[in-house]
Amino acid sequence: MTHSGDLVGMAVADRPVGLDVEKVDPGVDVDAVARVALTDAEMRELSGYDGVAKARAFTTYWTRKEAVVKATGEGLRGDLRAAVPDGVQVQDLDVGGEHRAALAVISNAAPVVQVDDGTRLLG
């Protein structure tokens, strides 16, 4: 389970899975958080962005990392700067412009993902 802003996500799988969704926050101090969460290569890529584009790019990296540490069971005490472990598949999910989301599955095969809008269930 994950939530951010007005989005809630749930992943169901027959193997360990991690899911994260985050609302893009243009006010976040991207550079400060990036230093403790991104690899050197990711930091170099991030330096090519500025403003809200930089916040979006960082949030994409963050959701991938958080999905991975959820799938592996490490949680945020895990090493966010580490590379994605072998056997973990990560996939970005399209959840709309103001949010970023990622799914990580411990599997050698790419996950089959179905994204549904559950709003109709709330009516």
Side-chain angles (χ1 to χ4, degrees), residues 52-83:
V52 72
K54 190 171 192 173
R56 285 186 191 114
F58 171 76
T59 305
T60 297
Y61 288 128
W62 181 266
T63 59
R64 291 172 184 165
K65 290 173 177 294
E66 192 165 337
V68 168
V69 297
K70 287 178 178 180
T72 62
E74 295 174 284
L76 291 178
R77 68 184 180 280
D79 182 3
L80 296 173
R81 296 194 71 207

Side-chain angles (χ1 to χ4, degrees), residues 11-119:
V12 178
D14 61 354
R15 61 202 69 209
V17 62
L19 175 67
D20 189 46
V21 63
E22 300 289 338
K23 186 170 184 177
V24 175
D25 178 359
V28 71
D29 185 350
V30 169
D31 293 325
V33 182
R35 281 192 288 277
V36 298
L38 301 186
T39 66
D40 291 340
E42 291 165 336
M43 290 286 292
R44 284 190 297 278
E45 284 184 32
L46 190 65
S47 70
Y49 296 94
D50 60 7
V52 72
K54 190 171 192 173
R56 285 186 191 114
F58 171 76
T59 305
T60 297
Y61 288 128
W62 181 266
T63 59
R64 291 172 184 165
K65 290 173 177 294
E66 192 165 337
V68 168
V69 297
K70 287 178 178 180
T72 62
E74 295 174 284
L76 291 178
R77 68 184 180 280
D79 182 3
L80 296 173
R81 296 194 71 207
V84 174
D86 289 340
V88 177
Q89 306 298 317
V90 180
Q91 184 171 335
D92 293 327
L93 305 175
D94 182 4
V95 293
E98 292 185 26
H99 291 80
R100 296 292 181 262
L103 175 78
V105 179
I106 298 180
S107 173
N108 290 322
V112 175
V113 176
Q114 178 179 338
V115 177
D116 288 315
D117 181 347
T119 305

